[in-house]
Structure formats: structure tokens, C-alpha cells
Amino acid sequence: MRKKVVLITGANGEMGHGLIQYLAENTDVNIVALDVTPLDKCLRPLCSTYIVGDILDQMLLGRLVVEHEIATIYHLASILSTKAEYNPETAHRINVEGTLNLLRLATEQSQWQGISVKFIYPSSIAAYGIPTLKEKSDAGSVTEEAYNHPTTMYGCNKLYCEHLGRYYNSYYRQLSADCGTNQTVDFRAIRFPGLISAETIPTGGTSDYGPELLHAAAKGEDYNCFVRPDTTLPFMVMPDAVKALVLLEDAPKNRLSQYVYNITSFSLSAQQIFDIVQKAFPEANIHFAVDECRQKIVDTWPEQVNDSAARRDWDWAPDYDCERSFNQYLIPAIKGRYSL
Ligand code: SER
């Protein structure tokens, strides 16, 4: 039997690193990795093919379809929230048109193969937009449907692509003569909280103060945290993020009652992160220097999200709570990494 082929876009990013390592260690799928930058050398032996290319390059995507019978696409490529604000139209092209290209590719593959290609899409807490700080603290843990009024280009892109995925899954070319007989894509999305990895540092996000603070302290570098100490967001460590992608991919379709699922692990204020990090790295030189513009963005994102649908439909539960995340994963791994 031919091995299952999994296409990963944004393979060189934070999530790409975690996902490729996990799939290579725990499954026998063939990984086709795509990124605009040359794939990290440590990931290359784990992939059957790696391609340097742009998700906006339709010729390249066309060739991919000819050469591989893709069963699952993890579409991780994206311009994050802070970076997107510096060039919103370019971000829109990459985040939305890029996703549209991949959805079309997945649809074509589904029709050729006669089975639904799974399309796993990481969305984000950036899809939310809570109007005031008072509402943010009163909102408690928000469900997928609440406060869908993002204030960033990235958040708008993520929310819209969730809808695009739903459209391609269920309504694509709904007026065509062969409507209802053609295979469509099997779209599944997760709204991730802020992610923290021991291996990599994100670039261009607005929840990045969490990982940046931790990595800077471990490296002995000074760091100015760009949000107020009371700023609270939900967070999760990378092994749980990867676990969620793989669990959702594997879930039986008939158990899924929605296209988009919140997940979370723990919520912390920036002060709480500071305290944990300061205790682990007493020499750390970290201060708060608020960037009002980035602060405004984080203030619209929820303190907590309600992930009961994911728990019910695909047995989601994080393996790492706050204590385990820092004490058994982040701090020891990061200490080892920078003491080399
Ligand atoms: N971590 C992302 C960002 O800050 C949010 O999903 O842009």
C-alpha cells in the first residue's frame, strides 16, 4: 500500500518544526514540506520531499498535485498579527489568497482521488475582538461564536479563512450541475491560544512576549515586555499544540459537530509569566515597557477560551498544565538549549 502523503505549508515555522518532528517519530507518513525559506537542516531527513516555494505560486501548487497524492494538508503558513499590521495588504495576500490556493488544491485532489482530503487549519485567538477591557475581564471563557470582531488584519484573515474552509467543505460550486456528487475537502480548524516552544521563538506575533521573555531570560539577554503586567491571555506549549493538530486530523468526521474549535491549556498574566521566569532565572533582566499599539491588540483577545466542544467531539485535553509546562518542559529544555 502507498504511504499516506501529508503536505505541510509553513514547514519551517514554529508549528512546522514541532509537527514534522512528531509525525516523523510517531507515524510512517511521507512528509512533503513547503516553505518560502530553505527547510531547517535538522528537519530535512524527516521529510520525503522539501520544496522552497510560495503558496501564491499556482504553478508550483499545480506541480505538487501532479507529483503527490496528498491525503492531508496542514496549512501552517501565515503572517502573524504584529507583522501583518506593517503591511496589511501583503499579509492579506499570503493569509487569504494563499489559503484559497491551498483549498482549491485540496478540492482538486479530493475530486481526483474520490476521497476527501483533510485540510487542517490553525486559526487563532486573534479571530476574537473584545471591545473593552471591562468586557474582556467580564467575558470569562469565550465560546467560538462570541466576539467575532477582530481588530487586526491577521485576525480578520483567520476568521474569514475559517468561513472559506466551511464554504469549500460544504457549499463549493453549489449551483453546478454535478453539485452534491463531487468530493469536497474535509476542513477542520483549531483556534490556538498563544504558543510557547522550548525549541523556537516565534516571529511577528503579538502574544510573543511570553516566549520572548522566557528565551531572553535563559540567554541572559535584557528584555522589555511590551504589555502591562496585568495582561492575561490563554497559552499552550508546543507539544500540546501538535497533539491537538494530530488529534483533530484523526477524529472521525461523524463526531465533529463544527468546523472550528477553541482549545486551551492555561491562562496567565504577563506578571505571572515574569514571576515564574524570574524564579527560574534569577539573573534575568526583564522590565515592562508597554507598547501602547501592541497592547491594544492583546487587550481585544480573550483571557480564557471555552474548549468544551473540542473536549466533547475529539477528546481534546492538554497534557501540560501550567506547572508541568514550565517545570517539566520549558525551563529544563531551554536551560539545556542555551547552556550548550
Ligand atoms: N500568536 C499569534 C500572534 O500573536 C496569535 O495567534 O499573532
Side-chain angles (χ1 to χ4, degrees), residues 194-211:
L195 298 179
I196 315 182
S197 168
E199 320 258 322
T200 44
I201 310 177
T203 42
T206 320
S207 61
D208 292 2
Y209 59 89

PDB file of all heavy atoms in Angstrom, residues 194-211:
ATOM      1  N   GLY A 194      -1.964  31.629  22.603  1.00  0.00           N
ATOM      2  CA  GLY A 194      -0.544  31.936  22.426  1.00  0.00           C
ATOM      3  C   GLY A 194       0.263  30.658  22.615  1.00  0.00           C
ATOM      4  O   GLY A 194      -0.014  29.881  23.521  1.00  0.00           O
ATOM      5  N   LEU A 195       1.237  30.438  21.753  1.00  0.00           N
ATOM      6  CA  LEU A 195       2.018  29.192  21.835  1.00  0.00           C
ATOM      7  C   LEU A 195       3.423  29.472  22.340  1.00  0.00           C
ATOM      8  O   LEU A 195       4.015  30.498  22.002  1.00  0.00           O
ATOM      9  CB  LEU A 195       2.088  28.524  20.458  1.00  0.00           C
ATOM     10  CG  LEU A 195       0.738  28.093  19.877  1.00  0.00           C
ATOM     11  CD1 LEU A 195       0.923  27.475  18.503  1.00  0.00           C
ATOM     12  CD2 LEU A 195       0.017  27.123  20.810  1.00  0.00           C
ATOM     13  N   ILE A 196       3.925  28.536  23.130  1.00  0.00           N
ATOM     14  CA  ILE A 196       5.293  28.672  23.655  1.00  0.00           C
ATOM     15  C   ILE A 196       6.032  27.369  23.388  1.00  0.00           C
ATOM     16  O   ILE A 196       5.561  26.291  23.743  1.00  0.00           O
ATOM     17  CB  ILE A 196       5.319  28.958  25.177  1.00  0.00           C
ATOM     18  CG1 ILE A 196       4.292  30.042  25.561  1.00  0.00           C
ATOM     19  CG2 ILE A 196       6.716  29.395  25.609  1.00  0.00           C
ATOM     20  CD1 ILE A 196       4.289  30.408  27.043  1.00  0.00           C
ATOM     21  N   SER A 197       7.196  27.506  22.742  1.00  0.00           N
ATOM     22  CA  SER A 197       8.013  26.330  22.433  1.00  0.00           C
ATOM     23  C   SER A 197       9.379  26.478  23.085  1.00  0.00           C
ATOM     24  O   SER A 197       9.892  27.589  23.213  1.00  0.00           O
ATOM     25  CB  SER A 197       8.165  26.222  20.909  1.00  0.00           C
ATOM     26  OG  SER A 197       9.167  25.283  20.592  1.00  0.00           O
ATOM     27  N   ALA A 198       9.969  25.365  23.462  1.00  0.00           N
ATOM     28  CA  ALA A 198      11.327  25.408  24.018  1.00  0.00           C
ATOM     29  C   ALA A 198      12.361  25.457  22.906  1.00  0.00           C
ATOM     30  O   ALA A 198      13.511  25.809  23.128  1.00  0.00           O
ATOM     31  CB  ALA A 198      11.562  24.179  24.889  1.00  0.00           C
ATOM     32  N   GLU A 199      11.939  25.107  21.692  1.00  0.00           N
ATOM     33  CA  GLU A 199      12.898  24.955  20.592  1.00  0.00           C
ATOM     34  C   GLU A 199      13.050  26.203  19.738  1.00  0.00           C
ATOM     35  O   GLU A 199      14.114  26.464  19.199  1.00  0.00           O
ATOM     36  CB  GLU A 199      12.413  23.853  19.634  1.00  0.00           C
ATOM     37  CG  GLU A 199      11.821  22.659  20.293  1.00  0.00           C
ATOM     38  CD  GLU A 199      12.787  21.512  20.314  1.00  0.00           C
ATOM     39  OE1 GLU A 199      13.488  21.357  19.324  1.00  0.00           O
ATOM     40  OE2 GLU A 199      12.836  20.812  21.331  1.00  0.00           O
ATOM     41  N   THR A 200      11.941  26.901  19.555  1.00  0.00           N
ATOM     42  CA  THR A 200      11.946  28.005  18.593  1.00  0.00           C
ATOM     43  C   THR A 200      11.292  29.240  19.211  1.00  0.00           C
ATOM     44  O   THR A 200      10.541  29.141  20.174  1.00  0.00           O
ATOM     45  CB  THR A 200      11.131  27.616  17.335  1.00  0.00           C
ATOM     46  OG1 THR A 200       9.924  26.984  17.774  1.00  0.00           O
ATOM     47  CG2 THR A 200      11.887  26.690  16.419  1.00  0.00           C
ATOM     48  N   ILE A 201      11.597  30.400  18.616  1.00  0.00           N
ATOM     49  CA  ILE A 201      10.951  31.646  19.061  1.00  0.00           C
ATOM     50  C   ILE A 201      10.099  32.131  17.887  1.00  0.00           C
ATOM     51  O   ILE A 201      10.557  32.128  16.741  1.00  0.00           O
ATOM     52  CB  ILE A 201      12.003  32.717  19.416  1.00  0.00           C
ATOM     53  CG1 ILE A 201      13.050  32.123  20.348  1.00  0.00           C
ATOM     54  CG2 ILE A 201      11.354  33.937  20.062  1.00  0.00           C
ATOM     55  CD1 ILE A 201      14.176  33.058  20.702  1.00  0.00           C
ATOM     56  N   PRO A 202       8.858  32.510  18.174  1.00  0.00           N
ATOM     57  CA  PRO A 202       8.002  32.939  17.060  1.00  0.00           C
ATOM     58  C   PRO A 202       8.472  34.274  16.486  1.00  0.00           C
ATOM     59  O   PRO A 202       9.220  35.003  17.130  1.00  0.00           O
ATOM     60  CB  PRO A 202       6.632  33.093  17.716  1.00  0.00           C
ATOM     61  CG  PRO A 202       6.912  33.325  19.156  1.00  0.00           C
ATOM     62  CD  PRO A 202       8.196  32.627  19.459  1.00  0.00           C
ATOM     63  N   THR A 203       8.008  34.580  15.285  1.00  0.00           N
ATOM     64  CA  THR A 203       8.353  35.888  14.729  1.00  0.00           C
ATOM     65  C   THR A 203       7.087  36.589  14.259  1.00  0.00           C
ATOM     66  O   THR A 203       6.296  36.012  13.520  1.00  0.00           O
ATOM     67  CB  THR A 203       9.290  35.774  13.504  1.00  0.00           C
ATOM     68  OG1 THR A 203       8.831  34.691  12.693  1.00  0.00           O
ATOM     69  CG2 THR A 203      10.728  35.566  13.889  1.00  0.00           C
ATOM     70  N   GLY A 204       6.918  37.811  14.742  1.00  0.00           N
ATOM     71  CA  GLY A 204       5.860  38.656  14.203  1.00  0.00           C
ATOM     72  C   GLY A 204       4.514  38.512  14.868  1.00  0.00           C
ATOM     73  O   GLY A 204       3.526  39.042  14.379  1.00  0.00           O
ATOM     74  N   GLY A 205       4.422  37.810  16.002  1.00  0.00           N
ATOM     75  CA  GLY A 205       3.152  37.682  16.688  1.00  0.00           C
ATOM     76  C   GLY A 205       3.006  38.734  17.787  1.00  0.00           C
ATOM     77  O   GLY A 205       3.973  39.424  18.121  1.00  0.00           O
ATOM     78  N   THR A 206       1.808  38.822  18.347  1.00  0.00           N
ATOM     79  CA  THR A 206       1.590  39.795  19.425  1.00  0.00           C
ATOM     80  C   THR A 206       1.492  39.099  20.777  1.00  0.00           C
ATOM     81  O   THR A 206       1.566  39.744  21.825  1.00  0.00           O
ATOM     82  CB  THR A 206       0.342  40.656  19.126  1.00  0.00           C
ATOM     83  OG1 THR A 206       0.312  40.966  17.734  1.00  0.00           O
ATOM     84  CG2 THR A 206       0.381  41.971  19.902  1.00  0.00           C
ATOM     85  N   SER A 207       1.343  37.781  20.762  1.00  0.00           N
ATOM     86  CA  SER A 207       1.437  37.038  22.025  1.00  0.00           C
ATOM     87  C   SER A 207       2.885  36.624  22.289  1.00  0.00           C
ATOM     88  O   SER A 207       3.168  35.895  23.235  1.00  0.00           O
ATOM     89  CB  SER A 207       0.527  35.799  21.993  1.00  0.00           C
ATOM     90  OG  SER A 207       0.920  34.926  20.953  1.00  0.00           O
ATOM     91  N   ASP A 208       3.792  37.119  21.473  1.00  0.00           N
ATOM     92  CA  ASP A 208       5.200  36.684  21.541  1.00  0.00           C
ATOM     93  C   ASP A 208       5.921  37.108  22.817  1.00  0.00           C
ATOM     94  O   ASP A 208       7.012  36.599  23.103  1.00  0.00           O
ATOM     95  CB  ASP A 208       6.003  37.237  20.348  1.00  0.00           C
ATOM     96  CG  ASP A 208       5.587  36.613  19.023  1.00  0.00           C
ATOM     97  OD1 ASP A 208       4.659  35.797  19.030  1.00  0.00           O
ATOM     98  OD2 ASP A 208       6.182  36.967  17.997  1.00  0.00           O
ATOM     99  N   TYR A 209       5.347  38.068  23.564  1.00  0.00           N
ATOM    100  CA  TYR A 209       6.056  38.494  24.785  1.00  0.00           C
ATOM    101  C   TYR A 209       6.269  37.305  25.726  1.00  0.00           C
ATOM    102  O   TYR A 209       7.284  37.276  26.444  1.00  0.00           O
ATOM    103  CB  TYR A 209       5.306  39.630  25.515  1.00  0.00           C
ATOM    104  CG  TYR A 209       3.909  39.268  25.944  1.00  0.00           C
ATOM    105  CD1 TYR A 209       3.659  38.675  27.185  1.00  0.00           C
ATOM    106  CD2 TYR A 209       2.827  39.483  25.103  1.00  0.00           C
ATOM    107  CE1 TYR A 209       2.376  38.325  27.574  1.00  0.00           C
ATOM    108  CE2 TYR A 209       1.538  39.134  25.470  1.00  0.00           C
ATOM    109  CZ  TYR A 209       1.325  38.556  26.717  1.00  0.00           C
ATOM    110  OH  TYR A 209       0.054  38.202  27.091  1.00  0.00           O
ATOM    111  N   GLY A 210       5.346  36.336  25.718  1.00  0.00           N
ATOM    112  CA  GLY A 210       5.503  35.159  26.596  1.00  0.00           C
ATOM    113  C   GLY A 210       6.779  34.397  26.263  1.00  0.00           C
ATOM    114  O   GLY A 210       7.725  34.335  27.058  1.00  0.00           O
ATOM    115  N   PRO A 211       6.845  33.823  25.034  1.00  0.00           N
ATOM    116  CA  PRO A 211       8.064  33.094  24.677  1.00  0.00           C
ATOM    117  C   PRO A 211       9.314  33.964  24.649  1.00  0.00           C
ATOM    118  O   PRO A 211      10.401  33.518  25.051  1.00  0.00           O
ATOM    119  CB  PRO A 211       7.755  32.546  23.276  1.00  0.00           C
ATOM    120  CG  PRO A 211       6.486  33.163  22.834  1.00  0.00           C
ATOM    121  CD  PRO A 211       5.772  33.646  24.041  1.00  0.00           C
TER     122      PRO A 211
END
